[in-house]
């Protein structure tokens, strides 16, 4: 999805804070995605568990 010069945890937290609702729309059908009122930490955790090193 992106390349950044900050630690993954910082990037994911920023991404969830700025685009949480939109992420829900994109990943709602993803297996185990915590949509529907999920906390920031739950979203970050799901994204982190699906992180792929390139």
């Amino acid at each position: 999805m992106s390349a950044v010069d900050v630690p993954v945890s910082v990037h994911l937290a920023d991404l969830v804070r700025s685009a949480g609702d939109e992420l829900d729309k994109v990943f709602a059908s993803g297996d185990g995605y915590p949509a529907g009122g999920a906390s920031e930490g739950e979203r970050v955790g799901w994204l982190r568990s699906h992180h792929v090193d390139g």
Side-chain angles (χ1 to χ4, degrees):
M1 260 175 48
S2 60
V4 295
D5 293 330
V6 297
V8 171
S9 58
V10 171
H11 173 63
L12 293 178
D14 288 345
L15 182 63
V16 167
R17 270 193 294 281
S18 64
D21 293 338
E22 298 305 315
L23 291 173
D24 287 350
K25 292 175 186 174
V26 172
F27 294 116
S29 63
D31 187 35
Y33 183 76
S39 71
E40 184 177 299
E42 290 171 312
R43 287 179 177 133
V44 169
W46 187 89
L47 290 170
R48 193 160 190 52
S49 72
H50 291 79
H51 173 255
V52 178
D53 287 323

